[in-house]
Amino acid sequence: KPCLAVNIGGIQMKNPVTTASGTFGFGPEYSPYVDINRLGAIVVKGTTLEPRQGNPTPRMAETPAGILNSIGLQNPGADQLIQKTAPYFAGLEIPVIVNIAGNTVEEYAQLAGKLDGVAGIAGLEVNISCPNVKKGGMAFGGDPFTAAEVTRAVKAATQLPVMVKLSPNVTDIGAIARAVEEAGADALSLINTLLGMAIDVRKRKPVLANVMGGLSGPAVKPVAVRAVWQVYRAVQLPIIGMGGICSWEDALEFILAGASAVAVGTANFINPRATLDVLEGIERYLLEQQIEDINELIGAAHSA
Ligand code: DOR
């Protein structure tokens, strides 16, 4: 049997398949469809210090190309995560990575400190790339200096492995990746959603209450593969690749471009078993191609 294990900045995963934050809830939502312990890890919904209601509705819209969302980081807050949800994480056999966001650098750091040492939390994914909030998210992920500032503050506040989630809505993702690497990040996640919008022709107004939102799904896959390719060349850090992964072939494109692991997002909404379909397809491919270790494939398209 081929070896599927990968290491993401100190987080050991038995296989490279994980979930994209916000598309898999906190895990239990998918347990009727997926034996969660078969995945390499799960990345759970974005969490902030205080509970948040999120943006006004409508805040989700399906388009033929993918899903637009402007959720605005709706979540029950850190205390609820620690008290009610982390005990469930602790009962899983796989690492759980919590996506964190804040309005200020101090909030990111405070939240990171609060989650440090909580049983069941194996790592943090720092969200500096949400396109749907005014204060957090893109306000930090849009340039190398602020991206590095948040990274340094979070690293100083926790012992947990820290991965930083980057945005495609920038001109030089390589420069941001380098700044985040220098600031001490252990890994990178990319990409978050691509800023977009849709207009209802009968109402003659934008579909989303917030006008713009983040596009996810198959439409963004070539953008995401390109971003992974560029970042792989810019830094040494392991990359979790995501953006429109629906099939095992999609996942392999990301791995060949340089991702050490892959996250399935929007596809979970269409096919709740998508993560396992991707995993099983990767396993079959390795057997068929007689590749003994998945690590041989990471970034392999660069030397072809
Ligand atoms: O597309 C996104 N939507 N990306 C995020 O990081 C957060 C989420 C939201 O809550 O708006």
Side-chain angles (χ1 to χ4, degrees):
K1 273 214 146 187
C3 170
L4 282 166
V6 296
N7 191 289
I8 301 293
I11 300 174
Q12 186 63 25
M13 292 170 53
K14 66 185 173 191
N15 67 63
V17 180
T18 183
T19 57
S21 177
T23 65
F24 207 74
F26 294 97
E29 295 89 336
Y30 278 81
S31 48
Y33 317 103
V34 175
D35 176 1
I36 291 169
N37 287 323
R38 286 184 60 195
L39 301 177
I42 57 171
V43 180
V44 299
K45 187 157 172 37
T47 294
T48 51
L49 269 180
E50 300 301 326
R52 285 177 65 105
Q53 296 286 319
N55 290 333
T57 58
R59 57 189 188 184
M60 283 264 266
E62 281 184 50
T63 79
I67 293 177
L68 278 166
N69 89 82
S70 172
I71 304 298
L73 296 174
Q74 180 247 332
N75 79 96
D79 289 331
Q80 163 117 343
L81 182 88
I82 293 166
Q83 283 153 28
K84 300 251 166 68
T85 320
Y88 162 79
F89 298 158
L92 294 173
E93 293 158 15
I94 60 165
V96 175
I97 298 161
V98 176
N99 179 290
I100 62 167
N103 293 317
T104 61
V105 174
E106 292 67 34
E107 275 187 25
Y108 279 95
Q110 215 185 317
L111 178 52
K114 209 168 165 158
L115 299 179
D116 190 20
V118 173
I121 300 180
L124 301 178
E125 178 179 71
V126 184
N127 189 350
I128 54 167
S129 45
C130 174
N132 302 322
V133 292
K134 284 210 180 69
K135 286 191 197 147
M138 276 303 295
F140 297 111
D143 88 85
F145 301 99
T146 47
E149 199 186 349
V150 175
T151 305
R152 266 193 304 273
V154 169
K155 275 299 286 181
T158 183
Q159 311 263 35
L160 290 168
V162 171
M163 55 201 65
V164 178
K165 187 161 181 179
L166 304 184
S167 171
N169 307 307
V170 297
T171 43
D172 189 351
I173 196 168
I176 293 170
R178 275 191 297 272
V180 165
E181 176 177 56
E182 198 157 310
D186 301 293
L188 297 171
S189 305
L190 51 129
I191 55 173
N192 207 316
T193 51
L194 186 64
L195 196 60
M197 70 178 286
I199 293 173
D200 184 322
V201 296
R202 298 230 148 62
K203 293 184 185 151
R204 299 190 187 100
K205 64 180 185 99
V207 172
L208 297 174
N210 228 26
V211 180
M212 292 177 210
L215 180 66
S216 62
V220 305
K221 196 189 81 179
V223 175
V225 172
R226 178 271 295 167
V228 169
W229 179 279
Q230 288 180 317
V231 168
Y232 182 77
R233 292 187 165 227
V235 300
Q236 303 293 319
L237 296 177
I239 298 166
I240 303 185
M242 72 204 74
I245 296 176
C246 296
S247 67
W248 61 269
E249 291 99 325
D250 294 338
L252 278 163
E253 279 192 59
F254 281 81
I255 292 168
L256 293 168
S260 296
V262 290
V264 177
T266 301
N268 293 311
F269 298 137
I270 316 292
N271 166 19
R273 246 192 127 266
T275 45
L276 292 182
D277 289 349
V278 167
L279 172 59
E280 289 164 10
I282 293 173
E283 279 169 345
R284 281 195 306 272
Y285 175 83
L286 292 181
L287 279 171
E288 173 204 296
Q289 299 285 315
Q290 299 183 5
I291 294 160
E292 277 166 26
D293 188 331
I294 185 95
N295 290 278
E296 290 168 31
L297 294 180
I298 298 169
H302 290 264
S303 48

